[in-house]
């Protein structure tokens, strides 16, 4: 048990002070020069103690409801399925019972589903296991392909992380015969790029194995670009399997088989939101994605964000106060399929409605069991790469870090790398910010000193896995981030301006919404959560 968990169980403390070592890790604590944000009462409408209304029992109650829905629907709340529909019904009913009018926005996309487990085997009889050795890449075409295995420009033994450029250039496939199975190493470019180049060169199937460094040895699991799914089977593999096959190829030709049973079809889901009208026409959108992956219930990813946004809406409504700026509490569909719902929302806004949008707050994974307090880098000071944030995002970061600093709660920046639903907003020039507790990345020693937890282990070992259940939660971290979110929301409800040129004036480097998924950032393979997947 983490030390701060005992505090919560005994006293319900808020915020909870843990072992502090601010500045021990670059970007952790107040060494970034970010000062405290305004008190929540500065909005003129907010209760100065409003964030204390975020109650852990109520937050966990929402997670239990989502878990029960998944349990009754094959263990998942995947967009387009009954588990997702019932999740949307739950959120809508909670909001309507509180007196909100709920807007439901249907949308459709080309959805992908897997009907059975993949197979990878050699014609000599070796075969490898689903889960331990191989996983189908989301978006893979169905197929049963047998052909020569061809190793594509690997870096073996592996160099520094993301140094391999295997399969990132058309010339990498120049000696591959048509119909071959391309064995490609992770790194350097997106999975979608590797698969597309292999297919263009005549490959019959693709097997992408992990790069090989610490933290990049397990089975590659990712999502291909839903705007242009490939026409050949594509499977992820562990580094160990890739290394084994590369060694076999060094001894002579290898004939292999790749089998995928999947299909793509028109799929429908909804976004839904509820507004709290304000005195001004400016609009702050507070959101998180409602869907899970197919593999599990998605209780941390992203039931935690759903519970935060939902409870925040209910508590603000209960205050009975009209904010200065209008607030919109939004629940996006099909984020796990490639930010489909939030893209649809932003892309269908009329110009006048787009110009109303003052800011977007995004909450996606805020209760990771071995996690920490990550704040999106709105001012770019952490030099993390990713998409540039529109002017005003720095002030949103200040609001969040200011509250954390005031409670002696250390934090660290995370990049706007396009892997969650803030993406369409910042690409349209709308300032954004939010909180995150960690996904498949690993807790460092310095982070463990500052936050507690087990160094060297994933922030969330159940990320995109069947075990992402209601047991996969750190309730103290969940409460801390929920209260920080409540503080920032109330502050934004009363702010006059974020100093922005307007959302239709795109900041330098921001991509237009035209084409939606064309030219996604190079680390956006899964279109979900801030961590490199190259």
């Amino acid at each position: 048990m983490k030390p701060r968990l005992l505090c919560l169980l005994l006293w319900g403390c808020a915020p909870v002070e843990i072992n502090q070592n601010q500045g021990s890790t670059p970007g952790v604590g107040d060494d970034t020069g970010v000062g405290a944000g305004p008190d929540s009462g500065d909005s003129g409408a907010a209760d100065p103690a409003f964030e204390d209304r975020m109650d852990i029992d109520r937050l966990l109650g929402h997670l239990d409801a989502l878990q029960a829905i998944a349990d009754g629907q094959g263990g998942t709340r995947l967009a387009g399925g009954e588990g997702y529909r019932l999740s949307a019904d739950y959120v809508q009913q909670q909001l309507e019972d509180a007196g909100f009018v709920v807007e439901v926005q249907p949308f459709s996309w080309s959805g992908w589903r897997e009907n059975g487990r993949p197979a990878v085997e050699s014609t000599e009889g070796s075969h490898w296991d689903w889960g331990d050795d191989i996983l189908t890449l989301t978006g893979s075409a169905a197929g049963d392909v047998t052909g020569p295995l061809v190793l594509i420009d690997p870096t073996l033994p592996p160099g520094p992380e993301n140094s391999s450029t295997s399969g990132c250039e058309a010339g990498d496939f120049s000696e591959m015969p048509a119909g071959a199975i391309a064995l490609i190493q992770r790194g350097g470019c997106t999975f979608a790029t590797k698969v597309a180049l292999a297919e263009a060169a005549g490959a019959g199937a693709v097997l992408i194995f992990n790069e090989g460094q610490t933290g990049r040895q397990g089975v590659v699991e990712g999502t291909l670009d839903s705007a242009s799914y490939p026409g050949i089977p594509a499977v992820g593999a562990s580094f160990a399997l890739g290394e084994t096959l590369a060694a076999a190829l060094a001894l002579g030709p290898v004939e292999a088989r790749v089998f995928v049973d999947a299909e793509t079809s028109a799929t429908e889901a909804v976004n839904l939101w509820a507004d709290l009208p304000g005195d001004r026409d400016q609009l702050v959108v507070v959101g998180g994605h409602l869907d899970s992956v197919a593999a599990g219930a998605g209780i941390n990813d992203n039931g935690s964000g759903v519970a935060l946004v939902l409870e925040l809406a209910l508590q603000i409504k209960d205050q009975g106060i009209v904010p200065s700026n209008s607030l919109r509490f939004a629940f996006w569909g099909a984020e796990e399929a490639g930010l489909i719902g939030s893209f649809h929302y932003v892309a269908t806004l009329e110009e006048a409605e787009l110009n109303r949008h003052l800011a977007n707050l995004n909450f996606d994974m805020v209760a990771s069991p071995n996690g920490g307090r990550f704040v999106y880098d709105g001012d770019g000071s952490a030099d993390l790469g990713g998409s540039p944030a529109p002017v005003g995002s720095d002030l949103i970061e200040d609001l969040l870090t200011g509250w954390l600093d005031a409670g002696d709660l250390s934090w660290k920046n995370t990049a706007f790398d396009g892997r969650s639903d803030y993406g369409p907003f910042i690409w349209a020039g709308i300032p954004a910010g939010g909180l995150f507790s960690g996904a498949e990345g690993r807790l460092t020693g310095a982070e463990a000193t500052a936050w507690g937890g087990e160094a060297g282990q994933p922030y969330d070992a159940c990320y995109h896995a069947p075990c992402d259940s209601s047991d996969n939660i750190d309730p103290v971290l969940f409460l801390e981030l929920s209260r920080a979110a409540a503080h920032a929301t109330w502050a934004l409800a009363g702010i006059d301006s974020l100093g922005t040129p307007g959302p239709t004036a795109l900041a330098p480097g921001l991509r237009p919404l035209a084409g939606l998924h064309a030219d996604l950032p190079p680390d956006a393979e899964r279109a979900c959560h801030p961590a490199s997947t190259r």
Side-chain angles (χ1 to χ4, degrees):
M1 179 180 291
K2 293 186 178 181
R4 51 185 178 160
L5 180 55
L6 180 61
C7 178
L8 176 75
L9 295 176
L10 294 179
W11 302 292
C13 38
V16 185
E17 183 175 355
I18 65 168
N19 178 30
Q20 297 297 305
N21 188 13
Q22 293 198 22
S24 61
T25 300
V28 175
D30 57 7
D31 58 328
T32 59
V34 175
D39 183 83
S40 60
D42 288 352
S43 71
D47 176 353
F50 170 70
E51 55 262 32
D52 292 340
R53 294 172 67 97
M54 298 296 280
D55 176 78
I56 190 61
D57 290 334
R58 290 184 58 83
L59 289 165
L60 295 177
H62 296 311
L63 298 188
D64 288 342
L66 295 175
Q67 179 70 62
I69 289 169
D71 289 345
Q73 300 299 324
T76 185
R77 299 183 303 103
L78 182 70
E82 186 67 6
Y84 183 81
R85 187 189 68 79
L86 293 173
S87 298
D89 287 350
Y90 172 77
V91 170
Q92 182 172 356
Q93 191 64 57
Q94 290 281 312
L95 292 168
E96 290 178 344
D97 287 349
F100 282 104
V101 174
V102 177
E103 181 80 17
V104 178
Q105 182 186 49
F107 60 90
S108 62
W109 77 103
S110 183
W112 178 90
R113 70 177 183 183
E114 189 171 18
N115 299 317
R117 292 182 175 181
V120 174
E121 56 194 30
S122 72
T123 55
E124 295 179 352
S126 298
H127 69 277
W128 294 275
D129 296 329
W130 174 87
D132 294 331
D133 302 307
I134 58 170
L135 288 169
T136 306
L137 295 178
T138 298
S140 167
D144 191 346
V145 177
T146 298
L149 190 67
V150 177
L151 184 60
I152 306 297
D153 189 29
T155 301
L156 295 172
E161 183 173 311
N162 209 35
S163 60
S164 171
T165 59
S166 171
C168 292
E169 297 179 0
D172 292 346
F173 301 91
S174 60
E175 297 183 6
M176 182 189 70
I181 297 171
L183 179 61
I184 305 174
Q185 188 177 22
R186 178 185 186 178
C189 61
T190 65
F191 302 148
T193 296
K194 295 173 187 285
V195 174
L197 289 173
E199 182 177 12
V206 170
L207 188 62
I208 299 178
F209 66 96
N210 219 332
E211 194 173 12
Q213 304 86 356
T214 300
R216 293 167 79 88
Q217 296 180 340
V219 181
V220 164
E221 180 260 337
T223 297
L224 303 174
D225 186 356
S226 58
S228 55
Y229 282 150
I232 59 175
V235 174
S238 66
F239 175 72
L241 175 53
E243 193 174 38
T244 296
L245 292 174
L249 284 167
L251 300 176
V254 175
E255 191 89 356
R257 172 179 178 252
V258 172
F259 169 76
V260 170
D261 182 8
E263 62 181 317
T264 304
S265 60
T267 305
E268 297 180 350
V270 299
N271 296 320
L272 62 156
W273 62 82
D275 286 357
L276 187 64
D279 290 329
R280 293 195 288 260
D281 198 37
Q282 296 186 124
L283 178 65
V284 177
V285 178
V286 184
H289 75 86
L290 182 56
D291 58 314
S292 75
V293 295
I299 298 304
N300 185 35
D301 180 19
N302 182 41
S304 62
V306 170
L308 186 163
V309 176
L310 177 57
E311 188 59 24
L312 182 55
L314 299 179
Q315 292 303 321
I316 288 181
K317 185 71 170 178
D318 188 58
Q319 292 266 77
I321 299 172
V322 176
S324 296
N325 297 317
S326 297
L327 296 172
R328 175 167 291 171
F329 302 97
F331 304 85
W332 312 118
E335 187 267 3
E336 299 289 5
L339 315 183
I340 304 293
S342 55
F343 263 119
H344 180 77
Y345 171 84
V346 175
T348 55
L349 291 171
E350 298 290 340
E351 183 176 352
E353 185 68 11
L354 179 68
N355 287 332
R356 289 185 62 210
H357 284 65
L358 177 69
N360 167 243
L361 289 174
N362 186 70
F363 302 106
D364 186 355
M365 300 184 70
V366 289
S368 302
N370 196 45
R373 306 180 201 95
F374 291 96
V375 182
Y376 287 105
D377 184 20
D379 60 8
S381 62
D383 195 25
L384 298 172
S387 297
V391 175
S393 302
D394 53 333
L395 300 181
I396 299 173
E397 179 187 355
D398 288 357
L399 292 175
L400 293 163
T401 59
W403 188 88
L404 293 169
D405 287 342
D408 291 329
L409 298 172
S410 60
W411 51 271
K412 187 174 182 179
N413 278 132
T414 190
F416 280 117
D417 62 4
R419 290 183 61 194
S420 193
D421 289 306
Y422 57 77
F425 289 89
I426 64 173
W427 294 325
I430 299 168
L435 298 166
F436 172 64
S437 58
E440 78 273 38
R442 292 177 182 268
L443 192 74
T444 68
E447 290 169 349
T449 299
W451 298 332
E454 187 175 355
Q457 296 303 308
Y459 301 115
D460 183 356
C462 292
Y463 172 64
H464 282 190
C467 56
D468 187 8
S469 68
S470 54
D471 295 327
N472 189 48
I473 293 296
D474 179 344
V476 180
L477 181 59
F478 190 16
L479 184 60
E480 289 170 353
L481 297 188
S482 295
R483 288 177 169 173
H487 168 81
T489 299
W490 257 134
L492 287 170
I495 202 165
D496 290 328
S497 171
L498 289 173
T500 71
T504 57
L506 297 186
L510 296 182
R511 57 182 287 279
L513 287 167
L516 297 186
H517 293 80
D519 193 32
L520 276 173
D523 50 358
E525 335 280 1
R526 303 184 200 184
C528 113
H529 317 309
S532 173
T533 54
R534 290 182 291 176

